[in-house]
Amino acid sequence: MAFPIQSGTMLVLASASPRRQELLRNAAIPFTTQPADVDETPFPGESARTCAERLAQEKALKIARHHAHAHVLGADTVVVVDDQILNKPMDVEDAVRMLRLLSGRVHQVITGVCLVKPLDDPQRPVSAKPPEPAPYAVLTADNRQLLIGSETTAVTMSEISDTEIREYVSTGEPMDKAGAYGIQGRASRWIPRIQGDYSNVVGLPVALVYRMLAGK
């Protein structure tokens, strides 16, 4: 099967997340990594989707400055419940707080994605759009094309006792994850159903990324 970007063109993942790396490897999408360090604090009044897409764009553009001819992929995942954006927990008690909020409820996981790639034609109109119905926007800036979109998955979580929450947090698994849990790990025991893309909950909507790479 042909890879959807030009042979010899490098894809750089602007993330240190081992879960995003594993998802790309499982999909047979070759890449290198160069993590982007950005402030992930939401702006006042910013919606979860806007926040996730903005942070994905900031990460991708930060790394793209060092790779003029590469495709650079940025992503950011947030968990939303009661209109609260839950990023990675700051400490153990913050992780406990988040899991108490999620216990016994349905929440949303949103991953924003931005693919930055060179423009083959610098004269391409700024208003250029992907083929319909593409689930992402296309912008141009600094002689680069930016493909920006997001995926949302509804996740049902069973009730979790305080003892279970503290035992889970003590494993360390929640500490580097939005919403303080990993669906691919121990927390899977409390997630009876999801509605939407599973890989999105892990940290990267692979089908959306592939469409971006392929220009579909």
Side-chain angles (χ1 to χ4, degrees):
M1 182 181 296
F3 186 59
I5 62 177
Q6 184 177 351
S7 178
T9 301
M10 178 170 57
L11 175 64
V12 181
L13 175 64
S15 173
S17 167
R19 295 165 296 282
R20 291 185 180 127
Q21 294 173 30
E22 182 178 12
L23 287 168
L24 288 176
R25 280 193 294 268
N26 289 346
I29 299 175
F31 66 96
T32 62
T33 60
Q34 185 175 339
D37 183 18
V38 303
D39 182 356
E40 297 185 352
T41 305
F43 291 156
E46 187 175 40
S47 72
R49 177 181 175 182
T50 300
C51 177
E53 291 183 0
R54 173 181 61 81
L55 291 174
Q57 181 176 335
E58 288 181 7
K59 293 174 182 179
L61 286 174
K62 185 170 186 176
I63 300 305
R65 298 189 191 106
H66 307 290
H67 298 279
H69 303 292
H71 290 60
V72 180
L73 178 64
D76 188 79
T77 301
V78 298
V79 170
V80 188
V81 62
D82 289 338
D83 294 323
Q84 294 185 54
I85 298 175
L86 306 182
N87 284 309
K88 298 171 186 175
M90 295 180 292
D91 53 32
V92 166
E93 289 306 315
D94 197 32
V96 170
R97 176 188 69 84
M98 291 183 183
L99 290 165
R100 285 173 176 164
L101 278 173
L102 301 177
S103 174
R105 306 178 65 186
V106 177
H107 61 271
Q108 286 72 47
V109 178
I110 302 173
T111 300
V113 177
C114 177
L115 179 67
V116 178
K117 57 184 181 178
L119 277 175
D120 294 330
D121 179 6
Q123 302 305 314
R124 183 170 181 165
V126 172
S127 60
K129 295 181 179 180
E132 296 295 341
Y136 54 85
V138 178
L139 308 174
T140 56
D142 298 328
N143 207 32
R144 295 293 189 101
Q145 189 177 64
L146 280 65
L147 281 58
I148 305 169
S150 57
E151 189 70 60
T152 301
T153 304
V155 179
T156 300
M157 185 170 281
S158 303
E159 290 190 8
I160 317 172
S161 70
D162 259 22
T163 299
E164 289 175 312
I165 287 174
R166 290 199 174 274
E167 287 178 351
Y168 177 52
V169 172
S170 72
T171 68
E173 183 178 284
M175 303 312 297
D176 65 340
K177 298 172 180 64
Y181 76 91
I183 192 172
Q184 73 283 4
R186 291 175 173 86
S188 61
R189 66 184 74 175
W190 301 305
I191 301 175
R193 71 186 60 87
I194 68 170
Q195 184 175 356
D197 185 341
Y198 172 82
S199 68
N200 180 58
V201 185
V202 178
L204 190 69
V206 175
L208 174 59
V209 170
Y210 188 83
R211 288 190 68 173
M212 288 179 166
L213 289 168
K216 294 181 179 179

